[in-house]
Amino acid sequence: DTAVSQTPKYLVTQMGNDKSIKCEQNLGHDTMYWYKQDSKKFLKIMFSYNNKELIINETVPNRFSPKSPDKAHLNLHINSLELGDSAVYFCASSQTGWEAFFGQGTRLTVV
Amino acid sequence: DAKTTQPTSMDCAEGRAANLPCNHSTISGNEYVYWYRQIHSQGPQYIIHGLKNNETNEMASLIITEDRKSSTLILPHATLRDTAVYYCIVSPSYNQGGKLIFGQGTELSVKP
């Protein structure tokens, strides 16, 4: 069983569209994250949720909105997509904060 | 958060030990040293972490200097599958407001 799974793995969409990326973890962890990896390969934290509560909200445009329906899920909604949003988005989870498990990533391409 | 400095790239012969250095001269007393790696096209993978003492697990060993200003990740017998970008991160534990902030990392190439 995959510990942290993201869907879809690839997402190609046009500018201006609204899209969602789903993330689920079956590890029973309390904390989930979203990271963005741009074309220069830098990994930046976007959001962190602990028990469905937003803990970390880095400087991310309001077009990005995380939603946590329950402890095992953290979805990422992106409105009015822009070319600069093209990146690989990683979901992760952890219990203690030391050992985070990452998903395989969602490659988003905005055309 | 304290910053880390790592070499941009390193090579290692297959079967030999890979020693990856990391400088973190401004590390605070409550900050841990974490190591992650990212194999091409995959999500980052946790390797090991430590506070003051040297640590070892099935993947690697972590050597932290006594003054805690630098550390070395050791892969004892590198294989081709260890080719990846290795990230050294310093941060307080999560319950102290820590978060994983990834830097540039070291691109390790293990060669046959």
Side-chain angles (χ1 to χ4, degrees):
Chain A
D1 283 344
T2 303
V4 181
S5 59
Q6 298 178 226
T7 54
K9 188 171 181 180
Y10 300 97
L11 182 56
V12 180
T13 186
Q14 291 186 328
M15 284 174 53
N17 283 352
D18 303 336
K19 291 294 179 184
S20 296
I21 305 172
K22 295 184 177 181
C23 178
E24 176 181 6
Q25 54 98 0
N26 62 4
L27 299 166
H29 288 165
D30 289 333
T31 306
M32 296 186 72
Y33 315 80
W34 276 107
Y35 279 81
K36 177 182 179 181
Q37 188 166 39
D38 60 26
S39 57
K40 295 182 178 180
K41 304 295 185 183
F42 285 111
L43 268 161
K44 295 182 181 179
I45 189 167
M46 300 174 69
F47 302 103
S48 171
Y49 267 74
N50 183 266
N51 275 320
K52 296 170 51 180
E53 181 183 348
L54 182 63
I55 300 298
I56 295 172
N57 184 351
E58 295 294 300
T59 308
V60 176
N62 291 336
R63 300 181 293 102
F64 290 79
S65 56
K67 287 184 172 53
S68 182
D70 55 57
K71 204 172 77 167
H73 295 84
L74 181 63
N75 303 323
L76 184 65
H77 300 275
I78 316 170
N79 295 324
S80 303
L81 277 155
E82 301 177 357
L83 293 176
D85 297 332
S86 296
V88 181
Y89 292 84
F90 289 99
C91 177
S93 75
S94 68
Q95 188 61 24
T96 64
W98 292 344
E99 182 179 358
F101 290 80
F102 283 76
Q104 289 302 297
T106 296
R107 183 174 294 276
L108 171 66
T109 303
V110 182
V111 297
Chain B
D1 292 344
K3 291 187 175 180
T4 62
T5 304
Q6 299 178 251
T8 303
S9 62
M10 292 181 64
D11 290 341
C12 178
E14 188 178 20
R16 304 296 294 268
N19 297 288
L20 292 95
C22 179
N23 285 324
H24 31 80
S25 58
T26 59
I27 191 170
S28 299
N30 67 338
E31 290 184 314
Y32 291 78
V33 180
Y34 305 86
W35 281 85
Y36 278 75
R37 72 180 183 183
Q38 187 174 23
I39 296 171
H40 181 61
S41 297
Q42 296 185 19
Q45 177 189 23
Y46 166 84
I47 301 173
I48 199 167
H49 75 276
L51 183 61
K52 289 189 283 190
N53 299 323
N54 298 337
E55 303 288 341
T56 295
N57 62 21
E58 65 278 3
M59 287 182 69
S61 294
L62 173 60
I63 309 297
I64 303 174
T65 57
E66 194 168 342
D67 62 9
R68 302 210 322 125
K69 293 185 177 182
S70 65
S71 61
T72 300
L73 178 74
I74 301 173
L75 308 178
H77 306 285
T79 70
L80 298 178
R81 288 177 296 180
D82 291 322
T83 293
V85 178
Y86 287 77
Y87 298 97
C88 170
I89 304 166
V90 294
S91 176
S93 62
Y94 184 84
N95 60 2
Q96 293 181 319
K99 54 189 176 184
L100 295 174
I101 298 178
F102 290 79
Q104 179 178 304
T106 295
E107 189 162 4
L108 176 69
S109 296
V110 180
K111 300 182 183 299

